[in-house]
Amino acid sequence: MLCLKSNMTANLLDGLNPEQLAAVTLPHQSALILAGAGSGKTRVLTTRIAWLIQTGQVSPLGLLAVTFTNKAAKEMLTRLTAMLPINTRGMWVGTFHGLSNRLLRTHYRDAGLPQLFQILDTADQLSAVKRLLKALDVDTEKYEPKKVQYFINGNKEAGLRPEHVEVFDPYTRRLVEFYAAYDAQCNRDGVVDFSELLLRAYELLARNDMLRTHYQERFRYILVDEFQDTNRLQYRWLKMFAGEDSALLAVGDDDQSIYAFRGAHSGNMNEFQRDYAGDNVIKLEQNYRSHGNILDAANALITQNATRLGKNLWTSEGKGEPIRVFEAYNDQEEASFIVEEVKALHRDGTALVDMALLYRSNAQSRVLEHALFSAGVPYRVYGGLRFFERQEIKHALAYLRLLANPDDDGAFSRIVNFPTRGIGARTLEQLSDAAQAANTSLWQAARAQFDPAKAVKGLPGFVALMGAMQDATQGLPLPEAIEHVLHMSGLAAHYQAEKEGADRLENLNELINAATVFSNDPEAMAELDEVGGPLASFLAHAALEAGDHQAGAGSDALQLMTVHAAKGLEFHAVFVGGLEEGLFPHEQSMNEKDGIEEERRLMYVAITRARRRLYLSHAQSRMLHGQVRYGIPSRFLDELPSELLKLVNAKRNSAVPASHDSYAAPKSNARNNTSPWRIGMNVRHAKFGLGVVVNVEGQGEDTRVQINFGAANGMKWLALAYAKLEVA
Ligand code: ATP
Ligand code: MG
């Protein structure tokens, strides 16, 4: 038996390099693994968990592991069960949000929450802020709801409640008042937003000695992946769980820190060293993911950043293929090129799931999706408009939320008159006043006013409907309950009658499927079903889920996502599109301190997702947010050593797609113009550098050209008679 066990341990540790082995088998002490992309950080972390359990040093329930996304957490559990035949039920492996949710559900009373508290996602939160500002009669030109939301979240993520925010001016004072009123509204409604999940969990442990001691003694091992992207509150959250006897392992890569814009605090690495790891810093330098050319490109790019802890990666694999660079005439041509290449790779045996299309901005996906759809290539988009964020799904969920918690005013407001029941704005205003006067929720106020027994129409009808729905769904399995809700609420009939409602109806059916899948997934249930029953856990799942239960999950499909969402993943072939100044690097970053360095790290993340084949493309013009933009190639292309790159041409012979006309810029005289300058041409100017011609006007000596010189120098009109322009 013993022999068998040590054999298995050997299997677990097989193939690790000496540094990885040292990290996996660290004694009971804290350490920081600081290492570049693809060096096996996540693998080390997962293997360490397996090793600790297998060698009996800790029970599965005695460790806490935090990763960045639900996808990564699931992946970790899958890898774990592949290594060890254990039951992962009840294990604390998840995201900061998911684990906070679990903690708060378990100790809802101590946390001052109703048992069935609901989670507001970002869009719900914005609606809640709008509702508040309306109730307070605030001028939303002066105090934009989005800014108020940003202010609230920023402070929560810094661990600051309204009374702790420093106020220097009247404007901020107002914002703080809104923050306090918003918190009061959430408490009344029994809802928490994403940042509140973390802050509540943190405060719960900070305040409650008994609970804190319990968890600190329980978690002898704490492991965190992607540590470089934690914010201040998350770090403080981790520290709450760490007791005298807890060994912490943080793994991260400063070169992949890409969430500064959301408050990630790169200083956490230093603080972690000071607080826990000391000199126990392990570096991993061998990359197991990518072929040499890809790795060399990534290394060359990232050395351009000044603020780095500094490390280099090497691989024992060969150089592999060159990196393919494609210059498209416009975004449609870029998309067709990508589709053709994907099809060719697929024909040669690469599974679609092993290929990814990465882009800087979600808005880029539409053209790509269209091309894929037309070509019949199955694909999945991650993190776009998530399934649970669609309007019809939100409506359905609001009915469910109200059933779970009648005091949820956000849910009430969303559906009280949807589908329309002839309830007017005036009635709702009166109701809102009555609720305010009696200090109750909208639902309670409505209940108090009407005798539901006799009601059919209007507000009384709604009260009666919810009562009937409550009775009808009592005790039913989740999918059946949802089916009832869809019909009784009138949502199904509403979308059936709508001309464009077929898709929405299908999505509503998909919601029933999602509930079925959820109810049959013991892990999902175990993760969330601490208290509150299936409905509450399903709703929490809907708020926290990153869209993994979309239709078609699990089948072979090309993967589409932003570079941010691709963190930690790897693919045989990766396409990075839209490498143009202003898009990637993004124009917003140009005004921010260290903005370009963060964009470069993002590019580093993009490149290092590829195992074997990497395509980089840019287009001379593209349609974005309803406007044609003319772009010059991204500086990041210039920063890659040219010997690693190979320029490729589209396989089709027509260089310019038929639809190109629709993109023709301001119908200038360019067409009948005899001048040699054409739209789309690359030019060089002695002072402004490289640019693209976007417009031509006038004739002969009077010719003027408009040129996009990129983010640094912007758009300029130049008179050709004077400007020293040359073709680049
Ligand atoms: P990222 O920074 O992108 O998150 P990472 O450092 O977490 O990367 P992993 O995802 O753990 O890297 O590993 C990258 C790839 O290398 C994975 O496919 C992993 O299985 C493989 N790998 C890691 N270590 C070894 C090893 N010793 N032998 C063979 N393959 C390895
Ligand atoms: Mg990783």
Side-chain angles (χ1 to χ4, degrees):
M1 184 67 202
L2 204 65
C3 169
L4 180 71
K5 193 169 165 185
S6 66
N7 257 345
M8 275 169 62
T9 312
N11 285 346
L12 212 58
L13 305 177
D14 271 358
L16 297 175
N17 68 36
E19 294 78 28
Q20 291 178 329
L21 183 67
V24 167
T25 59
L26 269 178
H28 186 79
Q29 55 186 233
S30 295
L32 171 67
I33 300 184
L34 182 63
S39 58
K41 294 183 298 297
T42 303
R43 177 158 163 165
V44 162
L45 195 137
T46 316
T47 313
R48 177 161 171 80
I49 296 177
W51 179 78
L52 286 170
I53 296 173
Q54 195 182 50
T55 52
Q57 298 180 65
V58 69
S59 92
L61 300 183
L63 52 82
L64 168 67
V66 191
T67 67
F68 213 69
T69 60
N70 290 318
K71 196 169 155 63
K74 258 186 213 140
E75 175 74 23
M76 192 168 280
L77 288 172
T78 314
R79 282 205 213 173
L80 210 56
T81 39
M83 285 191 260
L84 272 187
I86 52 162
N87 182 357
T88 55
R89 212 187 146 94
M91 277 185 79
W92 277 57
V93 176
T95 61
F96 283 104
H97 290 126
L99 296 175
S100 298
N101 175 51
R102 182 189 291 202
L103 184 80
L104 295 176
R105 299 247 171 235
T106 316
H107 307 287
Y108 66 94
R109 264 200 211 98
D110 291 320
L113 287 168
Q115 181 173 13
L116 296 180
F117 71 86
Q118 304 297 312
I119 301 169
L120 300 183
D121 68 18
T122 315
D124 296 331
Q125 187 192 26
L126 186 61
S127 317
V129 169
K130 286 183 181 160
R131 194 153 49 82
L132 175 83
L133 296 180
K134 193 158 176 242
L136 296 177
D137 214 8
V138 172
D139 173 5
T140 47
E141 300 254 301
K142 191 165 172 203
Y143 297 97
E144 283 174 44
K146 270 218 158 112
K147 295 221 168 106
V148 175
Q149 178 184 27
Y150 187 77
F151 177 84
I152 293 172
N153 290 341
N155 280 304
K156 285 191 181 183
E157 272 152 26
L160 299 174
R161 289 294 181 191
E163 61 273 23
H164 303 132
V165 181
E166 279 190 68
V167 173
F168 295 108
D169 56 272
Y171 185 80
T172 316
R173 176 161 311 121
R174 278 297 270 163
L175 287 174
V176 172
E177 283 167 20
F178 300 153
Y179 177 12
Y182 167 81
D183 266 359
Q185 175 180 296
C186 287
N187 285 334
R188 208 169 41 239
D189 292 2
V191 295
V192 299
D193 58 53
F194 284 160
S195 358
E196 182 71 24
L197 276 176
L198 261 100
L199 184 54
R200 271 283 168 133
Y202 165 78
E203 287 173 345
L204 172 66
L205 294 186
R207 210 177 43 231
N208 191 321
D209 295 342
M210 231 168 66
L211 272 185
R212 189 175 61 252
T213 312
H214 164 79
Y215 282 101
Q216 291 188 345
E217 283 174 359
R218 170 171 168 184
F219 295 130
R220 294 190 67 236
Y221 290 91
I222 297 177
L223 307 97
V224 200
D225 201 358
E226 306 276 4
F227 186 70
Q228 76 279 355
D229 280 326
T230 50
N231 65 29
R232 286 174 202 272
L233 179 59
Q234 287 165 335
Y235 186 46
R236 284 164 64 180
W237 185 102
L238 279 170
K239 286 171 90 166
M240 275 297 141
F241 283 98
E244 296 271 291
D245 196 32
S246 311
L248 281 76
L249 178 68
V251 315
D253 177 6
D254 58 306
D255 289 333
Q256 295 186 69
S257 154
I258 53 175
Y259 279 96
F261 75 102
R262 270 212 223 144
H265 177 52
S266 52
N268 281 352
M269 296 265 223
N270 290 332
E271 281 174 36
F272 183 80
Q273 241 179 301
R274 193 194 59 211
D275 296 341
Y276 298 101
D279 294 336
N280 226 353
V281 178
I282 299 172
K283 297 204 167 184
L284 310 173
E285 295 194 324
Q286 181 168 0
N287 173 295
Y288 290 92
R289 179 179 294 149
S290 310
H291 270 165
N293 284 335
I294 296 171
L295 203 57
D296 289 349
N299 281 335
L301 177 91
I302 202 66
T303 47
Q304 316 267 339
N305 269 5
T307 41
R308 302 181 62 210
L309 298 175
K311 53 196 150 31
N312 235 352
L313 287 169
W314 62 277
T315 174
S316 63
E317 300 268 353
K319 288 278 172 205
E321 300 171 25
I323 294 163
R324 292 162 166 82
V325 177
F326 178 67
E327 177 176 39
Y329 181 79
N330 63 19
D331 50 353
Q332 299 184 11
E333 197 195 26
E334 181 186 46
S336 353
F337 168 75
I338 292 175
V339 170
E340 289 309 313
E341 291 293 318
V342 165
K343 278 167 46 184
L345 284 168
H346 190 46
R347 269 197 305 275
D348 293 344
T350 308
L352 291 171
V353 279
D354 214 4
M355 296 186 238
L357 262 58
L358 307 183
Y359 34 81
R360 174 66 183 85
S361 143
N362 268 318
Q364 282 168 260
S365 79
R366 198 189 48 81
V367 174
L368 294 167
E369 286 188 64
H370 182 74
L372 290 165
F373 182 80
S374 313
V377 178
Y379 65 89
R380 272 188 76 198
V381 186
Y382 289 83
L385 187 59
R386 301 190 291 126
F387 176 70
F388 289 112
E389 281 167 7
R390 289 164 210 264
Q391 188 215 70
E392 61 280 12
I393 300 297
K394 282 259 180 220
H395 285 318
L397 291 177
Y399 277 98
L400 296 171
R401 274 168 53 187
L402 203 60
L403 286 179
N405 169 20
D407 292 336
D408 186 339
D409 280 359
F412 184 99
S413 309
R414 181 177 266 275
I415 48 157
V416 61
N417 200 29
F418 194 97
T420 33
R421 327 191 146 81
I423 304 175
R426 249 187 71 75
T427 313
L428 290 179
E429 247 164 57
Q430 282 166 354
L431 181 70
S432 162
D433 289 345
Q436 237 167 23
N439 198 20
T440 60
S441 63
L442 295 170
W443 169 257
Q444 302 295 352
R447 273 295 304 263
Q449 288 179 25
F450 305 109
D451 176 3
K454 297 182 215 127
V456 268
K457 287 212 318 261
L459 198 50
F462 179 69
V463 172
L465 171 69
M466 289 311 294
M469 216 183 262
Q470 187 72 269
D471 293 342
T473 53
Q474 202 75 52
L476 284 185
L478 191 57
E480 280 174 49
I482 295 181
E483 216 172 331
H484 270 287
V485 168
L486 295 181
H487 286 105
M488 293 180 73
S489 64
L491 279 179
H494 172 85
Y495 288 118
Q496 221 146 28
E498 213 178 52
K499 228 167 79 205
E500 315 262 302
D503 278 357
R504 297 189 190 270
L505 212 53
E506 207 170 289
N507 284 335
L508 288 177
N509 280 327
E510 188 56 33
L511 182 67
I512 302 176
N513 291 343
T516 313
V517 172
F518 182 78
S519 310
N520 294 335
D521 179 357
E523 239 150 46
M525 293 290 272
E527 224 248 294
L528 296 160
D529 187 26
E530 304 274 296
V531 281
L535 178 56
S537 1
F538 181 66
L539 288 170
H541 165 81
L544 295 171
E545 170 69 47
D548 293 359
H549 276 294
Q550 275 173 4
S555 53
D556 190 26
L558 183 69
Q559 313 278 298
L560 268 69
M561 67 194 89
T562 62
V563 183
H564 279 104
K567 200 166 68 144
L569 306 180
E570 60 186 25
F571 306 91
H572 174 87
V574 168
F575 296 79
V576 189
L579 283 165
E580 294 130 38
E581 284 291 300
L583 191 54
F584 199 179
H586 201 276
E587 51 207 358
Q588 268 164 19
S589 69
M590 316 226 178
N591 311 322
E592 280 159 23
K593 189 172 158 281
D594 300 331
I596 288 292
E597 296 221 339
E598 175 138 326
E599 292 290 306
R600 194 175 281 112
R601 290 192 290 270
L602 199 54
M603 181 67 185
Y604 174 79
V605 170
I607 293 177
T608 53
R609 297 311 97 200
R611 285 207 300 265
R612 297 292 174 255
R613 205 180 255 224
L614 176 63
Y615 292 84
L616 306 175
S617 56
H618 62 100
Q620 290 171 4
S621 73
R622 99 170 40 242
M623 188 81 158
L624 258 189
H625 308 296
Q627 276 187 329
V628 183
R629 309 165 47 123
Y630 298 87
I632 57 174
S634 165
R635 70 189 70 190
F636 298 147
L637 286 168
D638 289 338
E639 291 174 3
L640 305 179
S642 54
E643 64 274 17
L644 305 177
L645 312 178
K646 178 178 149 194
L647 293 176
V648 290
N649 296 316
K651 295 223 169 69
R652 295 165 299 111
N653 8 358
S654 68
V656 177
S659 52
H660 134 65
D661 266 352
S662 59
Y663 277 37
K667 288 272 186 283
S668 61
N669 316 322
R671 266 149 200 283
N672 354 355
N673 202 299
T674 47
S675 94
W677 307 98
R678 280 176 295 102
I679 290 177
M681 195 174 227
N682 290 327
V683 294
R684 189 186 310 281
H685 183 269
K687 181 157 163 228
F688 304 129
L690 218 51
V692 182
V693 177
V694 299
N695 208 350
V696 185
E697 259 183 26
Q699 302 274 331
E701 292 233 324
D702 294 332
T703 313
R704 296 192 328 139
V705 290
Q706 189 184 24
I707 297 171
N708 182 353
F709 288 107
N713 293 306
M715 289 277 202
K716 302 238 181 306
W717 276 105
L718 301 176
L720 278 183
Y722 306 105
K724 292 204 172 58
L725 269 188
E726 52 185 81
V727 179

